[in-house]
Amino acid sequence: MNTTASILETVKKTIIEESKAIHKLTEFLTEEFAEAVLKIYETKGRLIVSGIGKSAIIAQKIVASLNSTGTPSLFLHAAEAVHGDLGMVQPEDIIICISKSGNSPEIKVLVPLLKRFGNILIGMTSDRNSFLGKESHYIMHAHVDREACPNNLAPTNSTTAQLVLGDALTVALMELRQFKSEDFAIYHPGGALGKKLLLRVADMLDTTHTPQVSPDASIKKVIMEISEKRLGVTAVIDNNKVIGIITDGDIRRMLNANDTFTHLTAQDIMTKNPKNIPSGTLVSEALSILENNSITQLMVIDNNEYKGVLHLHDILKEGIV
């Protein structure tokens, strides 16, 4: 028996079975799902998602997705609810209770308590005729015919179905809220994603090292300025305005073209009208400009005032790429 081939065959079979189970969910979608989404969208309260066992883990993931996309949510463990955690439920909150069977002992204890408070209850279950299915105001029908597990026991297809419906709920609410990337950034300020969406050039610009020379500066002065500021570039400033840029590449090309450079000045070798950006530009946008123009530095200029140099290496250090 080829062990590797057998393993791969099992993996492929599991993936195919779960994908079929997910696709079949569309057959169980009704207006009831949309009505439940609208109730969540319109509530002034929070969305509380509860479950037990593997469904509790799915509930936590759904809560995380909702919180990060503008729907205030809380996780309520079905077993802990009857030991004091019901105190988190407020009058205008809406509750989603997740259970494949809809008949687990914890669910049968919890559901009547939740309904006693008068909150809207949404059941996410595989069985509409279960206790949870019959007691819920709305159903998100996470039906699966069987599990991908060879013994039809371990939650596989069922938890995947719950996860997918949770994602569908999240995306539907995002569209209702017209949730944009700018909104997403507010809830994800940390890490590379947050930096990409929020960080602006002004936030990382080193204003203590602003290489600059006058148009009539000697080439020696230019080389010294580039070396001292260690950015591989210097701005050429005339009457407080940037009129050009000199890179270490310009220096190399000048040396290749001339046997002597004592007669040359900064304005003789500079590149006029250099690429520049205001300090309020998103760093991600600045990176695109650098990549599209195959350059490594950008002049930063606000209202004709030279602020400094943004280098590709600075962006790389921030981990945005």
Side-chain angles (χ1 to χ4, degrees):
M1 179 179 180
N2 189 323
T3 303
T4 301
S6 177
I7 291 172
L8 289 176
E9 183 60 30
T10 299
V11 172
K12 290 178 183 178
K13 182 181 178 181
T14 302
I15 293 172
I16 290 171
E17 284 197 20
E18 294 211 10
S19 66
K20 288 180 179 179
I22 293 170
H23 187 268
K24 197 171 182 179
L25 287 175
T26 58
E27 299 177 12
F28 303 100
L29 283 176
T30 66
E31 290 184 359
E32 186 178 17
F33 192 103
E35 291 169 359
V37 172
L38 286 172
K39 287 293 183 181
I40 295 169
Y41 172 66
E42 293 167 354
T43 185
K44 295 180 181 179
R46 303 146 318 163
L47 181 61
I48 295 177
V49 188
S50 183
I52 191 77
K54 304 298 186 296
S55 295
I57 297 172
I58 299 300
Q60 291 178 71
K61 190 276 177 187
I62 294 173
V63 165
S65 296
L66 290 166
N67 277 326
S68 68
T69 52
T71 300
S73 306
L74 292 172
F75 168 66
L76 173 65
H77 196 283
E80 296 299 326
V82 296
H83 295 286
D85 283 1
L86 273 176
M88 71 171 64
V89 180
Q90 299 299 307
E92 293 186 331
D93 292 344
I94 292 178
I95 302 157
I96 293 179
C97 197
I98 306 176
S99 171
K100 177 192 175 183
S101 71
N103 290 314
S104 66
E106 294 85 359
I107 295 299
K108 288 186 174 181
V109 171
L110 177 61
V111 167
L113 296 174
L114 293 173
K115 293 188 71 175
R116 186 182 302 169
F117 291 129
N119 299 80
I120 292 175
L121 176 64
I122 301 170
M124 185 184 291
T125 180
S126 181
D127 185 1
R128 274 186 169 275
N129 295 315
S130 65
F131 179 82
L132 176 62
K134 292 178 178 178
E135 292 294 321
S136 297
H137 298 101
Y138 299 93
I139 292 294
M140 292 183 171
H141 201 180
H143 178 78
V144 293
D145 293 325
R146 58 168 286 116
E147 301 289 4
C149 163
N151 299 314
N152 194 26
L153 293 173
T156 45
N157 290 350
S158 59
T159 47
T160 301
Q162 294 166 0
L163 185 65
V164 169
L165 286 185
D167 287 341
L169 167 65
T170 299
V171 174
L173 287 168
M174 288 177 68
E175 292 193 354
L176 284 172
R177 299 185 195 286
Q178 298 182 334
F179 198 83
K180 299 180 175 60
S181 59
E182 293 82 2
D183 304 310
F184 195 79
I186 295 173
Y187 299 105
H188 298 77
L193 178 61
K195 289 180 180 180
K196 185 175 182 180
L197 295 171
L198 291 174
L199 192 68
R200 298 187 182 276
V201 172
D203 299 324
M204 60 180 297
L205 187 65
D206 182 2
T207 56
T208 62
H209 291 81
T210 53
Q212 54 186 289
V213 295
S214 62
D216 57 358
S218 66
I219 300 302
K220 180 179 180 181
K221 170 63 176 174
V222 171
I223 294 173
M224 290 179 64
E225 184 70 1
I226 291 176
S227 299
E228 181 181 339
K229 300 301 170 59
R230 306 177 78 171
L231 290 172
V233 65
T234 184
V236 181
I237 306 292
D238 188 26
N239 292 323
N240 296 320
K241 292 184 179 180
V242 176
I243 63 170
I245 185 176
I246 301 173
T247 67
D248 49 11
D250 294 323
I251 298 295
R252 289 193 297 271
R253 286 187 285 273
M254 183 259 325
L255 292 174
N256 287 332
N258 297 274
D259 293 328
T260 178
F261 54 82
T262 55
H263 62 291
L264 297 175
T265 60
Q267 60 189 338
D268 296 321
I269 66 170
M270 72 180 184
T271 298
K272 297 180 180 179
N273 302 316
K275 295 288 182 183
N276 66 86
I277 53 173
S279 63
T281 305
L282 285 171
V283 173
S284 57
E285 293 178 14
L287 176 61
S288 296
I289 295 172
L290 290 170
E291 291 176 335
N292 293 337
N293 292 276
S294 299
I295 55 179
T296 57
Q297 305 102 340
L298 280 169
M299 295 288 108
V300 181
I301 301 174
D302 287 340
N303 299 320
N304 293 321
E305 182 181 354
Y306 173 52
K307 294 293 185 178
V309 176
L310 178 68
H311 198 289
L312 175 61
H313 292 165
D314 298 325
I315 298 177
L316 294 176
K317 288 178 182 177
E318 290 291 337
I320 291 177
V321 179

